[in-house]
Amino acid sequence: MRAHPLATDAVLAFGALVCMVLGSFADPHGPHGPTFGTRNPGPFSLLLMLLGAAVLVFRRLRPRAVLAVTCGLSLLELTTGEPRAPVAMCTVIALYTVAAATDRPTTWRIGLVTMAGLTGVAMLAGPLPWYAQENIGIFAWTGMAAAAGDAVRSRRAFVDAIRERAERAERTRDEEARRRVAEERLRIARDLHDVVAHHIALVNVQAGVAAHVMDKRPDQAKEALAHVRDASRSALNELRATVGLLRQSGDPEAPTEPAPGLAVLDELVDTFRHAGLPVEVIVQLGPEPGPLSAAVDLAAYRVVQEALTNVRKHAGPGARAEVSVVRVGPSVEVTVLDDGGDCADGAPGPADPGGGHGLLGMRERTGALGGTCFAGPRYGGGYRVHAVLPL
């Protein structure tokens, strides 16, 4: 009906024409109530009913013009029709349309003018007595049409307001979430900067003093080291308090074991193998001296962990994974591949590359170290995660 309003109005106009024609054959003053088939409408009345129904086809395009035309046709019928035909039904429908499409003050002004005009002409200039029930019926029907149109307009405005509010909330929800996250990150970063900058600067100064006077004035060196100990203890307490703000009631205590790294990569891979995911691992860190830094070691471990978790959760049955950790020049490259299992060729493996907190976390972790992380489907099926971590 909303897609084809003109056709809908044409059907409504035809229905109104049928009702008016049928009503014109009924005598409301029969001995036992309204009697059908006891009178016949005149040709002029039939013409007025046909014109009124035809005008109703355009009621939504030009509602006030349609109301004016139907009022004119109704006035002609009220003053000349004998027996009277229900041409006023067209005016009732047109008045309802105007009331549903305009504001309340305009509705009541137009409604009162229409009600008073048609009823007054019917009482004063019509062939029936002024107190005839047909005249009172015109007043009642036009009044109900104006009230019904105003109620429908109010209901539509209420529903539209709720829909617009829901759409606005949907649009701003993600933006509000990002804004709050950014504000919280800024606050935490500011607190950590205040804690770390002050105490670490103090520790650095006192450590320099201790190193300078260690040989010649050991007592002063001990005093400087005591200040270092106090400053470091204060920094740890404030850091613990700051991080504690991020915890919720019921969260487990902070772990005391070292952070995981590539040294326990085999244990991580074994957990996925026990879960039914075949994994092949290649680790080639080369003969370069020195172990990986703690941050790079942890980031490489977390990338492998998240990538294998996605394979286990989202790849098809029978999927196989390959993990490689290779030192290439001044960086470590971590690659996790899977064949997609029984997924269709070309279908994404673990997840959509643009969604999910796991992929976002991998990108943020590698980006914090100055590296890059790519995650996307492989040609021929499956998925590929490739992270480059500068040493």
Side-chain angles (χ1 to χ4, degrees):
M1 294 174 63
R2 293 181 179 179
H4 305 282
L6 200 63
T8 302
D9 291 338
V11 174
L12 174 65
F14 179 76
L17 176 62
V18 172
C19 292
M20 287 188 293
V21 171
L22 292 178
S24 63
F25 285 92
D27 182 9
H29 303 288
H32 303 289
T35 305
F36 182 78
T38 57
R39 66 174 185 173
N40 298 319
F44 186 67
S45 297
L46 291 175
L47 177 62
L48 293 178
M49 288 186 285
L50 181 61
L51 292 176
V55 171
L56 287 179
V57 177
F58 308 99
R59 67 185 186 95
R60 289 195 232 190
L61 298 178
R62 301 290 298 275
R64 299 193 183 187
V66 170
L67 176 62
V69 173
T70 54
C71 284
L73 297 176
S74 299
L75 291 175
L76 286 176
E77 174 62 25
L78 292 175
T79 55
T80 61
E82 181 57 37
R84 182 181 294 174
V87 181
M89 181 181 291
C90 298
T91 305
V92 171
I93 298 175
L95 180 59
Y96 165 84
T97 304
V98 171
T102 186
D103 57 278
R104 179 165 295 173
T106 304
T107 295
W108 289 116
R109 285 196 298 268
I110 295 177
L112 288 175
V113 170
T114 304
M115 293 162 58
L118 292 182
T119 306
V121 170
M123 288 181 174
L124 300 177
L128 299 177
W130 67 270
Y131 53 83
Q133 63 179 5
E134 288 89 344
N135 299 333
I136 306 300
I138 293 174
F139 183 85
W141 277 104
T142 50
M144 286 190 295
D150 181 71
V152 170
R153 180 200 55 78
S154 300
R155 175 65 178 173
R156 289 175 181 171
F158 177 73
V159 173
D160 291 341
I162 294 178
R163 183 182 295 111
E164 192 274 336
R165 186 183 307 169
E167 292 175 353
R168 185 172 62 251
E170 184 71 20
R171 288 194 304 269
T172 59
R173 183 177 58 184
D174 294 339
E175 298 166 350
E176 180 69 13
R178 286 193 295 268
R179 185 186 64 82
R180 291 185 179 182
V181 169
E183 292 179 353
E184 188 67 15
R185 285 180 175 177
L186 180 61
R187 186 186 67 82
I188 295 172
R190 184 168 54 248
D191 293 342
L192 291 177
H193 176 270
D194 294 342
V195 172
V196 174
H198 170 71
H199 292 289
I200 296 303
L202 181 60
V203 167
N204 182 59
V205 171
Q206 295 294 340
V209 172
H212 181 70
V213 301
M214 180 66 70
D215 296 331
K216 297 180 180 179
R217 286 174 286 179
D219 293 339
Q220 189 175 356
K222 290 181 180 180
E223 183 179 356
L225 291 177
H227 288 305
V228 169
R229 180 187 60 193
D230 295 339
S232 61
R233 181 185 298 116
S234 178
L236 288 174
N237 291 334
E238 293 190 27
L239 285 174
R240 185 179 297 110
T242 303
V243 175
L245 295 175
L246 303 178
R247 294 184 177 275
Q248 299 179 357
S249 59
D251 285 350
E253 295 295 331
T256 57
E257 66 273 5
L262 296 179
V264 293
L265 182 60
D266 291 337
E267 298 179 8
L268 173 67
V269 172
D270 287 339
T271 60
F272 288 97
R273 288 171 178 164
H274 293 327
L277 176 64
V279 183
E280 297 181 6
V281 181
I282 299 176
V283 179
Q284 295 180 353
L285 298 180
E288 288 80 358
L292 301 178
S293 65
V296 173
D297 195 25
L298 176 61
Y301 178 88
R302 293 303 188 195
V303 168
V304 174
Q305 183 184 42
E306 179 62 30
L308 291 179
T309 301
N310 284 341
V311 175
R312 185 69 184 89
K313 289 170 57 179
H314 301 293
R320 302 177 62 87
E322 299 176 7
V323 177
S324 66
V325 182
V326 181
R327 179 178 294 191
V328 180
S331 62
V332 172
E333 297 188 4
V334 180
T335 305
V336 180
L337 307 175
D338 73 275
D339 57 7
D342 295 336
C343 294
D345 291 343
D352 185 354
H357 297 289
L359 298 181
L360 180 61
M362 286 193 293
R363 293 191 180 99
E364 290 183 348
R365 188 181 294 275
T366 56
L369 298 176
T372 59
C373 180
F374 168 79
R378 300 171 58 194
Y379 178 76
Y383 214 75
R384 176 175 181 264
V385 176
H386 181 71
V388 179
L389 303 172
L391 293 176

